[in-house]
Amino acid sequence: MHFFPEKLEQYATGHTKPASEVLNSLERETYVRIYMPQMVSGHLQGRFLSMVSKMLNPGNILEIGTFTGYSAICLSEGLKDGGTLYTIDINEELEALAKKYFEQAGLGKKIKYLTGNAVEIIPQLDVQLDLVYIDADKENYSKYYDLVFEKLRSGGLILADNVLWSGKIIDEKQDQETKALVAFNDKVQRDERVENVLVTIRDGVMMVRKK
């Protein structure tokens, strides 16, 4: 779903610095080979994630939901020297593809790919996080938020993707995923421990700063 006229989105993309050839190749291969390729972040959102990461200059990033690795590469562009991005995905079939492009991007040693259930893996991470990106199963967004919150430093950011859910969050009739996203958005809005802004880029990104 386009929240803006398609020509206006094309204009925005055309006035955004280009992605690397590695990212372009990854996006092309995702669309050729992978089911539901629209899940890839893509150029405009990828540059947004990269910009946020570069401004924050994080030492540790956690990504929940790797898919083919596009967003992980973008987020890693802002890592401090010696920094690490931990990315979790339950689909082990995509691991080889993501790791291939991590290596091509020169990030093989900076990205730690963790396969399994994020609800079980997150409590085992003994690191202080500067940036968290949530882009996984929508029904667990609130749970992921709670699991990472104490690990996130003051001033750190949480970014949650797809929070507008193709506009379904304002429909009267809602399925379980939509209800979960509405509950998540409301939870963040009520949380006095944070500042937040819902950014209307692509399918909506909730940006949360821990006070």
Side-chain angles (χ1 to χ4, degrees):
M1 179 176 180
H2 292 280
F3 290 97
F4 300 97
E6 190 170 356
K7 286 186 177 180
L8 193 57
E9 288 194 4
Q10 291 172 351
Y11 182 87
T13 300
H15 287 76
T16 299
K17 293 295 185 184
S20 67
E21 186 52 42
V22 170
L23 285 169
N24 290 336
S25 296
L26 172 53
E27 186 171 14
R28 285 193 295 269
E29 185 167 354
T30 299
Y31 271 87
V32 169
R33 291 185 49 200
I34 305 301
Y35 176 65
M36 295 185 69
Q38 68 273 18
M39 289 171 59
V40 73
S41 293
H43 177 205
L44 186 62
Q45 186 168 340
R47 292 303 85 206
F48 172 77
L49 296 176
S50 174
M51 184 75 77
V52 170
S53 184
K54 287 175 179 175
M55 289 190 292
L56 194 60
N57 193 212
N60 289 307
I61 303 172
L62 173 63
E63 176 184 55
I64 307 170
T66 313
F67 194 45
T68 55
Y70 193 104
S71 53
I73 293 173
C74 295
L75 290 164
S76 294
E77 292 174 7
L79 277 171
K80 289 181 179 178
D81 290 341
T84 302
L85 181 142
Y86 302 85
T87 185
I88 305 171
D89 203 284
I90 201 165
N91 187 354
E92 59 185 20
E93 294 180 2
L94 296 175
E95 181 175 356
L97 178 61
K99 283 185 173 180
K100 179 179 78 170
Y101 282 97
F102 294 162
E103 291 293 337
Q104 289 185 22
L107 296 168
K109 294 182 180 179
K110 290 187 174 183
I111 299 179
K112 293 190 176 181
Y113 191 108
L114 306 171
T115 304
N117 188 333
V119 172
E120 299 172 357
I121 293 173
I122 293 169
Q124 299 175 27
L125 292 176
D126 187 20
V127 291
Q128 184 181 60
L129 299 169
D130 303 294
L131 176 59
V132 177
Y133 181 53
I134 304 174
D135 187 14
D137 52 313
K138 311 312 169 191
E139 292 179 341
N140 275 322
Y141 266 37
S142 290
K143 187 173 291 186
Y144 295 143
Y145 182 84
D146 291 336
L147 287 171
V148 303
F149 198 85
E150 293 307 317
K151 297 179 183 293
L152 185 71
R153 69 166 174 84
S154 296
L157 297 180
I158 298 173
L159 304 175
D161 196 19
N162 303 119
V163 293
L164 293 178
W165 207 225
S166 298
K168 291 188 288 186
I169 46 93
I170 58 173
D171 288 346
E172 290 186 9
K173 293 183 179 180
Q174 299 175 347
D175 58 22
Q176 288 304 115
E177 287 183 310
T178 306
K179 289 178 181 178
L181 285 170
V182 170
F184 170 77
N185 291 337
D186 291 345
K187 178 187 182 76
V188 172
Q189 184 67 18
R190 292 192 303 267
D191 193 343
E192 296 296 330
R193 302 170 298 173
V194 305
E195 300 169 298
N196 60 288
V197 57
L198 201 164
V199 182
T200 54
I201 186 172
R202 204 164 176 242
D203 198 22
V205 176
M206 180 67 83
M207 180 180 287
V208 183
R209 178 183 178 273
K210 184 177 180 178
K211 294 180 182 178

